[in-house]
Amino acid sequence: MNPFTYARAHSPAEAAAAAMQSPGARFIAGGTNLLDLMKLGIETPTHLIDVNGLALDKIEATPQGGLRIGALVRNTDLAADARVRRDYSVLSRALLAGASGQLRNRATTAGNLLQRTRCPYFYDTNQQCNKRNPGSGCAAIGGISRQHAVIGSSTACIATHPSDMAVAMRVLDASVETVQPNGARRVIPIADFHKLPGNTPHIETVLERGELITAVTLPAPLGGTHVYRKVRDRASYAFALISVAAIVQRDGTGRVALGGVAHKPWRVEAADAEMAHGPTAVTQRLLDGATPTTDNEFKLQLVRRTLAAVMMQEKGAKS
Amino acid sequence: MEEFSDIKLSRREFVMVGAASVSAVAVPAGAATPTTQRTPASMTPVAANVSFVVNGQPRSLQLDTRTTLLDALREHLHLTGTKKGCDHGQCGACTVIVDGRRINACLTLAVMHEGAKVTTVEGLGTPTRMHPMQVAFVKHDGYQCGYCTPGQICSAVAVLDEIRAGIPSHVSPDLNARPHASPGEIRERMSGNICRCGAYSNILEAITEVAGSQS
């Protein structure tokens, strides 16, 4: 690990301004992803700004009837919050499906959104990776790609976004609140927050240099049945092959988002309109234009079958 | 206060240096710079002060900012009960309890824990006054080689606290009902602690016994 200087931030605006001043700076909160990558020489910050002391650890009701989740709310606390369990259970379920108890106790809401891919070629510094070393090529393309993206990928990158939480936030239409180095604040819809890889897979979000996430807001509860179904190689403590986050209403309408299939949480609003027509129709819309590899084309059928299981689970719950 | 330069070469580090792969721990003594000094883009180690309470004892350290909580406990405070397995948050051998919560000590920097209360396996009990979880692990043979055991025990103690606090898990059938220390719940909640010897069934029996005696 390269040496770095370390400072504790005292306000969000101060932290953002400090990050702007120091080109090699990174914010650190839980550190569960950043420190791992620093040990491997994939992240090489020269200055760490510890944001843990900022008062961003509350979950508050919004005037619109939703919730504002502070950027530093730990994954354990968000999953266990009584309002989240009752009104946004897809989010509780997604959080509890991810990582381990120890990691959820440290990992934060903002940090979870900013998790980097678990592509093994990104993690292996001996391999070509356009995300780690722009312009070097992608060893995953033509490599072992069972875990990789099936849609929205590019000739530069086929990595997936690893978060479960972000998939639930996408189906809930959450918004990301930030403060910029000049003190200005902005609100970014979760749909626009993560980017597809294109020719710049190293740019993963629309955040600008120094910009700090302060909160994630959820709109008023949508009702319906909330389901998060994750399919993985182990029953616990593994990243998703695919996951389905769904909210199904009593009349069969609803909305759905997928994890493990793309560079960002994957949702196609037009597919929501197919909910009443069954899992095959929804999957066709969701994965229209998919470009799987021979290693991961099984994910297309896995999505359809998992979605079918989710929709049957909802029917069973109603009867 | 323990000095930043007070780093002794262990046998393992000596072997690493001998193999010409100089570890980050083996920085030259006296290379420490004051906390306030900025050395961006430099390979010069940076020192910082941190004070926390470990197993009830206040400790103050001057550390390379890169020092994880795990290395601070093992290499600087010589509390070697906490083990380094993967050093990447995958195995759980380094699990300690910080401010009442179990975390992976390998994936957090020591300097991030100013003022924290840290409990390691040494703080749970002693050979003559063992914690009930330690007693149960011995009784049920909840280990073979023992390397993962301190992490398993710290994790298990915290798991029962989490269940008592009503924190749900992936296998809780109803998110809004109080969870119980069922075998399924314990297995899921302990999934971040790997045991290569495969003592899982005995670990489960040990935790189940302690859960039963507490309920």
Side-chain angles (χ1 to χ4, degrees), chain A residues 29-215:
Chain A
T32 54
N33 191 205
L34 181 60
L35 274 172
D36 186 22
L37 294 170
M38 285 167 64
K39 289 180 181 190
L40 295 164
I42 296 165
E43 293 271 9
T44 54
T46 53
H47 182 55
L48 283 187
I49 301 168
D50 184 344
V51 296
N52 282 295
L54 304 183
L56 299 173
D57 57 352
K58 304 280 188 301
I59 304 174
E60 301 162 319
T62 66
Q64 293 76 30
L67 289 180
R68 174 177 287 107
I69 304 156
L72 290 169
V73 172
R74 309 287 158 173
N75 286 178
T76 297
D77 297 316
L78 184 55
D81 183 89
R83 294 159 293 184
V84 176
R85 283 195 260 172
R86 186 186 64 218
D87 297 330
Y88 307 95
S89 64
V90 66
L91 180 55
S92 278
R93 287 291 183 194
L95 284 158
L96 296 171
S100 66
Q102 291 97 314
L103 291 167
R104 291 192 295 271
N105 279 343
R106 281 300 290 168
T108 63
T109 304
N112 193 319
L113 285 179
L114 296 175
Q115 266 188 95
R116 306 207 66 191
T117 185
R118 307 292 162 149
C119 171
Y121 300 97
F122 171 73
Y123 263 74
D124 182 350
T125 52
N126 295 308
Q127 300 282 351
Q128 297 173 315
C129 175
N130 288 318
K131 191 182 274 299
R132 175 168 33 75
N133 184 12
S136 65
C138 171
I141 297 173
I144 297 167
S145 55
R146 180 171 172 270
Q147 298 164 302
H148 289 76
V150 295
I151 194 160
S153 54
S154 72
T155 54
C157 180
I158 59 170
T160 57
H161 195 269
S163 172
D164 294 296
M165 183 198 80
V167 182
M169 289 191 168
R170 180 69 183 90
V171 87
L172 289 165
D173 276 333
S175 300
V176 182
E177 296 184 357
T178 70
V179 60
Q180 294 175 298
N182 64 4
R185 294 178 176 272
R186 69 167 172 158
V187 178
I188 306 161
I190 188 83
D192 303 332
F193 182 78
H194 295 102
K195 294 172 74 90
L196 289 176
N199 289 320
T200 55
H202 59 293
I203 303 172
E204 294 167 353
T205 71
V206 297
L207 291 181
E208 290 165 10
R209 202 177 116 197
E211 192 168 8
L212 177 73
I213 299 173
T214 53

Side-chain angles (χ1 to χ4, degrees), chain A residues 4 36 39 77 93 236-237, chain B residues 65 88-89 101 106 172 191:
Chain A
F4 52 83
D36 186 22
K39 289 180 181 190
D77 297 316
R93 287 291 183 194
S236 184
Y237 199 19
Chain B
T65 52
H88 287 279
R101 297 186 153 208
C106 74
S172 303
S191 72

